[in-house]
């Protein structure tokens, strides 16, 4: 009996995971480009976003020591919210360190779940 319940629970978890993965619409290249362009207009972001990961994470670069990474993540979340995107997390990295040393040290992150 326990074995049957465990198998049913596993099957349910797989089904829910599959449903969530397939029901989420990917972000269009136009939306991504609009977000990137709006971020570039802000002083905190000296370069295009470093990368998008599976339309669920936006990694951005800042100049460490000149920009508060937590405030930069918050601003990026506000930009995403202005485009109607609420399911993306933001990660902040030191862009100079990436360019010079290829070292990806996360300075801050924000889940962008709150209402802006």
């Amino acid at each position: 009996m326990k074995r049957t319940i465990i198998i049913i629970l596993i099957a349910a978890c797989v089904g829910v995971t599959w449903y969530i993965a397939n029901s989420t619409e990917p972000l269009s290249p136009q939306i991504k480009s609009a977000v990137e362009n709006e971020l570039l207009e802000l002083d905190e972001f000296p370069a295009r976003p470093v990368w998008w990961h599976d339309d669920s994470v936006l990694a951005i670069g800042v100049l460490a020591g000149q920009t508060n990474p937590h405030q930069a993540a918050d601003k990026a979340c506000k930009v995403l919210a202005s485009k109607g995107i609420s399911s993306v997390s933001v990660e902040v990295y030191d862009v100079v360190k990436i360019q010079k040393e290829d070292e990806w040290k996360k300075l801050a992150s924000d889940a962008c779940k709150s209402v802006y």
Side-chain angles (χ1 to χ4, degrees), residues 1-19:
M1 182 67 178
K2 288 181 185 179
R3 185 177 188 178
T4 304
I5 292 173
I6 290 174
I7 291 172
I8 291 171
L9 288 174
I10 291 171
C13 288
V14 169
V16 168
T17 303
W18 179 83
Y19 174 77

Side-chain angles (χ1 to χ4, degrees), residues 25-36 52 55 83 85:
E25 286 189 36
L27 297 174
S28 72
Q30 294 83 7
I31 294 286
K32 289 180 181 181
S33 180
V35 168
E36 292 173 10
W52 293 83
D55 293 342
K83 303 295 181 201
I85 303 169

Side-chain angles (χ1 to χ4, degrees), residues 20-98:
I20 290 171
N22 288 319
S23 65
T24 305
E25 286 189 36
L27 297 174
S28 72
Q30 294 83 7
I31 294 286
K32 289 180 181 181
S33 180
V35 168
E36 292 173 10
N37 290 334
E38 193 167 330
L39 288 174
L40 279 174
E41 292 175 7
L42 301 173
D43 293 333
E44 291 88 346
F45 310 107
R48 278 212 176 277
V50 180
W51 52 258
W52 293 83
H53 177 69
D54 293 336
D55 293 342
S56 64
V57 177
L58 170 63
I60 56 176
V62 298
L63 300 173
Q66 294 182 9
T67 303
N68 180 323
H70 298 286
Q71 289 177 349
D74 187 53
K75 276 194 175 182
C77 284
K78 288 179 182 175
V79 169
L80 288 165
S82 75
K83 303 295 181 201
I85 303 169
S86 62
S87 60
V88 174
S89 296
V90 173
E91 294 180 354
V92 181
Y93 295 89
D94 181 355
V95 71
V96 174
K97 206 167 204 72
I98 292 171

